[in-house]
Each structure stands twice: as structure tokens, then as C-alpha cells.
Amino acid sequence: KRAAARPRLMQAELARAGQAAEGAEDSLAGVLAGLSPVEAGRMLEEMWSLAGVEPVGGRGPAEIAQRLVRRAEAARASALTPDQAQAVRKFLAIEAEPADALAAVAALAGPTAKALKGALKGWTERLSRLAEAGVPIAHARFATALGHAFDYYDGLTFEIRSEALGPERPIATGGRYDGLPTRLGGPAEAQAVGCTLRPRWALAEDVR
């Protein structure tokens, strides 16, 4: 679930399918895992000082320590079985017009996936509302493998592409991040969606 919306993490999980979990108790991350965030940050600062390391970037020692701990926990977690990895690969290969893609997801999961049926119903309703709002759904593609590197996205993600620029240079990239306002001190019921626009790409010499 942690890796589902992050393509690089997902590929790493698929690559270690069938492998034994890694032991990280003796590593730096394993040592930090037994400390509170504040204590872990202090220990990291002491190690930097002893080694003469000057940290760069905007992240503080406590945040860096927690990222190391999360990576260690991920390495210790059980890997997917080969059969599970193959099922995930089949799911990630689905890309088609929205209605066809949703039908392919339903066929892959089988008739007993109650939670998935609810999600598919929600997607069908969402597509209907988009069509009613004038969105050209006939030109849309639903890709199960689409994901973005930022971990604050916790819902659907999207890209707006043009034929002239191709898939590597989307005009807009975004998605839902309902949990981010709460993490920043906002109300728990807050909802949010947004995107980054790149109009300068549309002005590039090779697409004029």
C-alpha cells in the first residue's frame, strides 16, 4: 500500500518478490528505530559532527532519521510472493478508455472482491459526473500504473497531455491530497485537489 502510488517504489517491491526480508537491526536505521524522533535526530546530528559532515537541503535531522527508519522497516517487511507480484503486474498493465479499463480491473479481481466493487462503483459515478460537466471522457485514458513521486497524494492522480508534446511532457500534473491539509494543521474533514501547470512547454520551439 505504501508503494502503490509511487512507481519507483512499486517496481522495487516487484523486483524483490519471493526474496527473504532483510535484517536491519545492526544498521544505522535499525539503531535509530528504537529511539523517539527527537532522540533519533540528536543522534544523527552527533554522528554528523563526529564525521565532519555538513548536511545540505531543507530537511532536519529528525525528518531524515525517520526516513531512514521507514526504509529499514520496508526492507524488513515480507516481500510479495511470485504469484502476488504477477497479479500486481497484470493490474499495472491495464491502460484503456475509462470504461474498458474499469471492466478489465473487475475481470482481474474476480466476483468476490467486495471492496473493489465499491471502488469501481465510485469511479463509475465520478466518470459520469465528469462527463456531465463537459469533460471529454472519450479522449481520456485510465492507467492503473500512473503515479507521482510525492507521497502527499492519497487519492486519484492525473495528467493532462497533448499529442504534440507526448507523454513525457504533460501540460498539467496533479491529484487529490485530502490528508495534507490535516497534516498541516487544518480540519480533519478538509478535502483538496490541485495540479502543477507547465504552459512554457507548450511554447517550446519544437511544438510551435
Side-chain angles (χ1 to χ4, degrees), residues 112-130:
T112 60
K114 294 182 179 180
L116 181 60
K117 287 181 180 179
L120 291 173
K121 180 180 179 181
W123 262 107
T124 301
E125 294 174 352
R126 182 179 293 117
L127 291 172
S128 296
R129 293 180 180 179
L130 288 171

Side-chain angles (χ1 to χ4, degrees), residues 39-104:
E39 292 172 333
R42 288 174 178 168
M43 174 174 281
L44 200 56
E45 283 186 299
E46 291 178 5
M47 296 181 66
W48 287 343
S49 178
L50 291 172
V53 174
E54 288 290 336
V56 297
R59 293 192 177 96
E63 183 179 358
I64 293 174
Q66 289 306 300
R67 289 173 67 89
L68 289 172
V69 170
R70 286 197 294 270
R71 288 186 180 183
E73 290 173 346
R76 289 199 301 266
S78 299
L80 296 171
T81 67
D83 288 344
Q84 290 171 334
Q86 183 60 19
V88 172
R89 290 189 181 97
K90 289 181 179 179
F91 173 76
L92 294 176
I94 295 173
E95 180 177 351
E97 293 185 11
D100 294 337
L102 296 182

Side-chain angles (χ1 to χ4, degrees), residues 132-147:
E132 292 171 359
V135 176
I137 295 298
H139 297 289
R141 303 286 290 179
F142 188 104
T144 53
L146 179 64

Side-chain angles (χ1 to χ4, degrees), residues 13 22 74 199:
E13 286 297 320
E22 299 177 10

Side-chain angles (χ1 to χ4, degrees), residues 125-197:
E125 294 174 352
R126 182 179 293 117
L127 291 172
S128 296
R129 293 180 180 179
L130 288 171
E132 292 171 359
V135 176
I137 295 298
H139 297 289
R141 303 286 290 179
F142 188 104
T144 53
L146 179 64
H148 298 147
F150 300 109
D151 62 2
Y152 55 75
Y153 287 117
D154 52 16
L156 69 92
T157 57
F158 61 85
E159 293 181 350
I160 299 176
R161 304 175 179 177
S162 75
E163 292 183 357
L165 293 173
E168 299 303 321
R169 293 195 290 177
I171 295 296
T173 302
R176 295 201 66 90
Y177 40 88
D178 292 346
L180 183 59
T182 303
R183 288 162 58 182
L184 296 176
E189 66 276 8
Q191 295 182 325
V193 62
C195 67
T196 298
L197 298 174

